[in-house]
Amino acid sequence: MTAVVELMDYADVIERFDPVLGLEVHVELNTNTKMFCGCANEFGGEPNTKVCPTCLGLPGALPVVNAKAIEGAIRIGLALNCEIAEWCRFARKNYFYPDMPKNFQTSQYDEPIAFNGYLDVTLDDGEVVRVEIERAHMEEDTGKSLHVGGATGRIHGAEHSLLDYNRAGVPLIEIVTKTIEHTGERAPEVARAYVSALRDLLSALDVSDVRMDQGSLRCDANVSLMAKDATEFGTRTETKNVNSLRSVERAVRYEMTRQAAILAEGGSIKQETRHFQEADGTTASGRTKETAEDYRYFPEPDLVPIAPSREWVEELRKTLPEMPSERRKRIQREWNLTDEALRDLLNVGAVDLVAATVEAGATPDEARSWWVNTLAQEANSREIELAELAITPAQLAEVIALVNAGELTNKLAKEVVQGVLAGEGSPAEVVEKRGLKVVSDDSALIAAVDEALAAQPDVAEKIRGGKVAAAGAIVGAVMKATKGQADAKRVRELIIERVGA
């Protein structure tokens, strides 16, 4: 039986404590090969088929650094306003776990390739918070463990475990913030906004597919609380591998309420890793958190130091794309958006989707209306990110074009979108399969109008008498008869013609 965890009301947490955050984001690079060997860097596949003696740590196998990964690391550092090291090296991070075949991880310790940067983050109401970056360092990913037979999917209680080393050795950049203080009740929102902004930046750099659902981007959230009159940080917990923006916010909020309840009762917080439970938004205890000393770091003897020339760094700086923040300012100006309208786009994660829909032929207003209203509601109801919906900007632009051509009404267009989301094919295929095309044949519409007028002669007399607004009842009857597939504007015109008003 699961023990009941006491939580403090969030308002009471904020009244009594100050939250302190530290966020560590791991991003897998989209290089063709792994960090230190020539194995394919691809998601999925049959277990243990993308491995070699080097990434399995077999005796005698020596690593070679992936130059493209170093280039990606430098570009990330530059985009985060970091200083780029003139000289740095790899280190061995020693720990023993089955998904680490070498029994150490090749990482960077006290000499990261990028350090001392910042990222400005915009919150839902437009407030900008500067999150300072401690470091961005290179390392390799671990393999994956599958624990079979337990109730939670964790090793505790499992009957046996399976190991897949396909991911072992995939290039990783770990981006570590400095402590984030003085955010008060907005701490969970700041955490989500930071990871969201970082994801957008990495996507713009094209260094990763940033698929949180596939683990290409994942966040470790460090949370501690300080009493209002305290001068030292509290003991932190680290919630590992949180893999969605919504979950980052929920994990931080839950840890604040859990830790506050313990501290209020005179207890102490255990420094440990914790696991986020998607089903109920809670965290569960993992293992005692190690310190740097526990990892017994020492310089990697099989790899030479990295000393990027200043000329190369400046060449890479010139390859940086328009940053997301600057792009948003340009889009706001070009689309003539108010600050509120832009925030609406940002809050639902629709900027890139709207831009792509515009590029596919829609107007900004049309695209924005669909993504911010209709499709954002769909995403919310499914509890997924807007970009995860099974409709592309090009498909939405096709739907909008059909409406503008008079081949779909707005109501029918929503049905078409539902069909696309349900996996029934392209918009044109959904229209064909569901028979949703607008009835534009005047002869068919005239027949429906005459039938509706005959059924409501009193309404027809009102229209003849000059009460044109009464035509709405006839329009409604025709739309019902045609299952919403008539052009309401054309129907109204025909009604006026037929009664001679």
Side-chain angles (χ1 to χ4, degrees):
M1 184 175 178
T2 303
V4 176
V5 178
E6 294 294 330
L7 303 176
M8 181 180 287
D9 181 78
Y10 192 72
D12 292 337
V13 176
I14 300 306
E15 184 177 344
R16 298 180 59 174
F17 298 97
D18 289 320
V20 178
L21 306 180
L23 301 172
E24 303 170 12
V25 173
H26 296 79
V27 55
E28 290 184 346
L29 300 183
N30 57 5
T31 54
N32 292 328
T33 56
K34 292 184 180 180
M35 188 72 188
F36 302 112
C37 66
C39 291
N41 177 17
E42 299 170 341
F43 177 78
E46 287 295 314
N48 301 308
T49 57
K50 299 168 186 174
V51 295
C52 72
T54 299
C55 56
L56 287 178
L58 299 184
L62 293 175
V64 177
V65 176
N66 186 326
K68 198 68 177 178
I70 295 176
E71 179 181 303
I74 293 173
R75 294 178 73 238
I76 290 171
L78 292 171
L80 289 171
N81 305 290
C82 288
E83 299 176 46
I84 305 301
E86 296 189 16
W87 189 95
C88 64
R89 56 184 172 180
F90 286 98
R92 290 189 180 185
K93 180 180 181 181
N94 296 276
Y95 66 95
F96 302 94
Y97 202 74
D99 64 10
M100 180 60 68
K102 298 184 297 187
N103 282 333
F104 65 85
Q105 180 186 31
T106 305
S107 181
Q108 290 188 298
Y109 175 44
D110 55 348
E111 299 164 316
I113 193 164
F115 54 93
N116 197 27
Y118 66 87
L119 179 62
D120 287 333
V121 175
T122 303
L123 304 185
D124 291 349
D125 62 356
E127 180 184 345
V128 176
V129 175
R130 174 161 292 187
V131 176
E132 295 189 332
I133 306 297
E134 177 73 35
R135 57 193 279 147
H137 65 260
M138 300 178 288
E139 59 186 25
E140 59 182 337
D141 213 340
T142 62
K144 293 183 68 175
S145 303
L146 176 64
H147 305 298
V148 182
T152 64
R154 305 289 178 190
I155 192 169
H156 180 71
E159 297 174 359
H160 63 276
S161 298
L162 301 174
L163 293 167
D164 178 9
Y165 291 120
N166 281 348
R167 197 178 68 180
V170 166
L172 270 186
I173 303 299
E174 181 175 354
I175 302 165
V176 182
T177 70
K178 296 181 181 180
T179 53
I180 304 171
E181 305 175 60
H182 312 303
T183 55
E185 65 179 349
R186 307 194 75 171
E189 182 189 350
V190 169
R192 171 180 55 79
Y194 166 73
V195 178
S196 177
L198 188 56
R199 184 182 66 171
D200 290 347
L201 182 146
L202 295 167
S203 178
L205 290 172
D206 194 27
V207 292
S208 172
D209 64 14
V210 292
R211 289 282 301 270
M212 297 190 77
D213 59 315
Q214 293 183 358
S216 300
L217 183 75
R218 48 195 193 265
C219 176
D220 296 344
N222 293 271
V223 179
S224 65
L225 297 177
M226 297 173 62
K228 289 291 185 179
D229 57 353
T231 57
E232 296 183 0
F233 293 151
T235 302
R236 65 185 172 92
T237 63
E238 180 180 17
T239 303
K240 300 285 288 184
N241 296 328
V242 187
N243 62 2
S244 78
L245 300 179
R246 178 171 177 265
S247 295
V248 169
E249 184 169 8
R250 293 172 74 200
V252 170
R253 187 183 182 97
Y254 178 83
E255 270 302 286
M256 289 171 62
T257 57
R258 185 191 70 86
Q259 292 184 23
I262 293 172
L263 295 172
E265 291 296 320
S268 60
I269 304 301
K270 182 167 65 173
Q271 183 169 317
E272 62 180 351
T273 62
R274 298 184 67 85
H275 302 291
F276 183 69
Q277 313 294 317
E278 292 282 353
D280 58 9
T282 65
T283 66
S285 181
R287 56 182 169 79
T288 302
K289 178 63 179 172
E290 294 89 348
T291 64
E293 290 75 15
D294 295 322
Y295 289 122
R296 303 184 337 278
Y297 284 98
F298 64 86
E300 169 57 67
D302 293 331
L303 291 169
V304 298
I306 297 165
S309 69
R310 297 304 90 181
E311 292 77 15
W312 186 36
V313 171
E314 291 310 309
E315 286 176 10
L316 291 176
R317 191 189 301 276
K318 293 175 184 177
T319 71
L320 297 183
E322 182 181 30
M323 291 294 103
S325 58
E326 295 303 317
R327 181 168 177 256
R328 287 165 188 155
K329 291 177 184 176
R330 175 178 58 78
I331 284 175
Q332 182 176 16
R333 184 174 62 253
E334 292 178 354
W335 295 355
N336 196 28
L337 298 177
T338 63
D339 289 345
E340 183 179 4
L342 181 63
R343 282 200 299 272
D344 288 343
L345 286 178
L346 293 173
N347 291 345
V348 298
V351 173
D352 290 340
L353 295 168
V354 171
T357 308
V358 171
E359 290 174 3
T363 68
D365 285 345
E366 291 169 336
R368 186 162 56 90
S369 177
W370 275 96
W371 285 112
V372 173
N373 299 317
T374 305
L375 291 169
Q377 291 175 10
E378 283 289 335
N380 286 337
S381 66
R382 299 169 190 230
E383 295 188 346
I384 60 175
E385 300 294 331
L386 192 59
E388 295 176 42
L389 286 175
I391 185 169
T392 66
Q395 288 173 327
L396 181 59
E398 184 181 342
V399 173
I400 293 170
L402 291 172
V403 173
N404 292 337
E407 297 182 29
L408 289 177
T409 63
N410 286 328
K411 181 180 178 182
L412 292 176
K414 291 180 179 179
E415 287 193 51
V416 173
V417 167
Q418 288 297 327
V420 174
L421 292 173
E424 297 174 20
S426 68
E429 290 170 335
V430 173
V431 169
E432 184 67 26
K433 289 176 184 176
R434 294 195 179 190
L436 296 177
K437 207 165 188 178
V438 164
V439 177
S440 56
D441 178 8
D442 269 7
S443 61
L445 291 178
I446 288 171
V449 167
D450 288 346
E451 184 177 338
L453 288 170
Q456 301 184 64
D458 55 331
V459 176
E461 283 302 317
K462 288 181 181 178
I463 299 171
R464 289 191 186 95
K467 295 183 179 179
V468 179
I474 305 299
V475 172
V478 173
M479 296 302 290
K480 183 176 180 180
T482 60
K483 297 180 180 179
Q485 292 177 238
D487 181 342
K489 182 179 178 182
R490 181 57 182 155
V491 170
R492 182 176 290 276
E493 292 172 353
L494 290 173
I495 291 170
I496 303 303
E497 291 176 12
R498 302 301 283 177
V499 299

